[in-house]
Amino acid sequence: MSTMKSIVMKGFGGPEVLALGEAPTPTPKPEDLLVRVRATALNRADTLQRAGKYPPPPGDSEILGLELAGEVEAWGSAVKGFSKGDRVFGLVGGGGYAEYALLDHQMAMRIPKGWDFVQAAAVPEVFFTANETVFVQGGLQKGETVLVHAGGSGVGTAAIQMAHHIGATVYFTAGAPDKIERAMALGADAGINYKTQDFVAEAKRLTGGKGVDVIEDFLGAAYLARNMDALKTTGRLVIVATMGGTKTEIDLNLLMRKRMAIYGSVLRARSLAEKRQVTQRFLERWMKPLESGALKAIVDSTYPLAQARQAHERMESNLNFGKILLTVE
């Protein structure tokens, strides 16, 4: 059995459990491409999996890494239309932190001319997530208002650009003046420093007391009551992560009075059929503005694969603005 370089975990824990090691090179199933990975990206799900809190779905690789860009090396018996060396990028259930990984051929997207592998690998998770939550579930329309929490995160920087692109009014929260300045440059209308300002009061002030139409949230329990307060009547809250906990009380009177909707969303646990649809929805709506440069994946920093530990340390210190990438030489 051939082996490849990959990031291996010495048990569960902090970034220190990550090390460069060897793993068996995966064998493509009938619908898979075997991709020679050139770049992959960090996501919060990786840090949760590393800590033992987010196991991969059954059948997916135990290796970290939920998105990748690289070149087609081989393919399964049911795959047509790909050649060795084709440049592709896409979402995977796991396996990105390695020299080779499997990518479902119906989720493989062609890398546009002029894009490098880093640029491509920074796209899938954040643009897919922002589309599914802000637009598909949240239903954000031109002329409406959206509040994006964690505006300096990968999903935050994507959501701000996408919402601005369709003609929505975009507010966001961030915890550092430099992040606010950089997120404003992506097309936002106002930034709220959550460390020094009350985002509910600011959201109401900015909307003349009405509240916002859509909120993109990553904190969960810690922000639920305040998010509900900040929504306007018939507003939509989409919870994408629970960094502030999973259990809390809810004021059903407020929910009913405002006729609001609360949605939850995960990407990784969806079925393959659903993930293929997610990929298609993204391609149909957002690939052209990305190719034209109207939207772009914001890259914070890149590290060689062997420095995955340092990359995780940067993410967990909340220093990043945009995506952190690993390059695989």
Side-chain angles (χ1 to χ4, degrees):
M1 180 184 281
S2 66
T3 61
M4 61 178 180
K5 288 195 179 81
S6 79
I7 292 299
V8 296
M9 295 199 303
K10 301 170 180 175
F12 296 118
E16 71 281 354
V17 305
L18 301 177
L20 189 66
E22 299 272 324
T25 305
T27 302
K29 298 185 287 294
E31 307 247 344
D32 290 335
L33 301 174
L34 178 67
V35 177
R36 170 63 172 95
V37 181
R38 298 295 180 181
T40 184
L42 271 65
N43 290 284
R44 288 283 174 184
D46 300 337
T47 65
L48 290 171
Q49 183 177 334
R50 190 203 67 221
K53 297 175 182 175
Y54 195 20
D60 280 319
S61 173
E62 299 276 337
I63 296 169
L64 300 179
L66 301 181
E67 57 197 326
L68 56 82
E71 296 139 328
V72 173
E73 182 75 18
W75 48 88
S77 57
V79 176
K80 292 182 175 64
F82 288 92
S83 303
K84 188 176 163 78
D86 284 353
R87 295 176 357 121
V88 295
F89 68 120
L91 194 72
V92 291
Y97 290 21
E99 285 183 301
Y100 293 92
L102 300 179
L103 173 61
D104 176 73
H105 77 288
Q106 289 192 44
M107 291 176 63
M109 303 176 287
R110 308 280 180 167
I111 298 178
K113 283 180 184 165
W115 283 25
D116 60 24
F117 292 116
V118 165
Q119 192 175 358
V123 167
E125 184 76 29
V126 297
F127 279 88
F128 285 15
T129 297
N131 184 48
E132 291 299 308
T133 54
V134 176
F135 299 93
V136 177
Q137 290 181 290
L140 184 70
Q141 303 291 323
K142 179 179 181 177
E144 290 190 321
T145 52
V146 60
L147 172 62
V148 178
H149 286 302
S153 67
V155 176
T157 56
I160 288 168
Q161 293 179 77
M162 294 157 88
H164 173 70
H165 184 74
I166 69 153
T169 299
V170 189
Y171 310 131
F172 68 91
T173 63
D178 64 308
K179 287 190 179 185
I180 289 174
E181 189 178 322
R182 292 175 73 182
M184 287 297 294
L186 298 177
D189 296 275
I192 301 164
N193 188 327
Y194 66 81
K195 291 183 178 174
T196 60
Q197 294 173 290
D198 175 358
F199 77 78
V200 179
E202 282 300 296
K204 289 183 175 177
R205 181 184 69 78
L206 290 162
T207 56
K210 291 178 186 170
V212 296
D213 291 288
V214 177
I215 295 179
E216 175 89 334
D217 177 60
F218 304 88
L219 276 294
Y223 270 18
L224 182 63
R226 295 165 71 199
N227 280 331
M228 289 171 67
D229 193 7
L231 278 177
K232 73 186 289 186
T233 300
T234 71
R236 291 88 72 193
L237 167 64
V238 191
I239 300 170
V240 190
T242 52
M243 292 168 66
T246 59
K247 302 270 177 77
T248 186
E249 288 193 355
I250 185 168
D251 181 354
L252 293 175
N253 278 329
L254 183 62
L255 181 80
M256 291 154 61
R257 197 165 65 245
K258 283 192 172 182
R259 307 192 303 283
M260 66 176 68
I262 301 176
Y263 298 97
S265 182
V266 291
L267 202 47
R268 190 182 194 183
R270 296 189 194 193
S271 69
L272 179 59
E274 287 178 295
K275 287 180 183 175
R276 287 171 170 175
Q277 291 170 350
V278 166
T279 302
Q280 205 52 45
R281 283 194 287 268
F282 159 78
L283 285 170
E284 286 167 6
R285 185 161 191 185
W286 301 108
M287 200 59 219
K288 276 188 180 160
L290 275 161
E291 283 190 61
S292 74
L295 306 174
K296 60 182 183 292
I298 305 301
V299 175
D300 170 78
S301 49
T302 61
Y303 292 79
L305 183 65
Q307 291 180 17
R309 177 178 64 79
Q310 291 92 325
H312 274 237
E313 286 168 352
R314 180 168 179 82
M315 175 171 265
E316 295 202 319
S317 64
N318 283 325
L319 291 172
N320 60 299
F321 182 84
K323 296 284 286 185
I324 301 171
L325 279 289
L326 298 175
T327 55
V328 188
E329 296 305 328

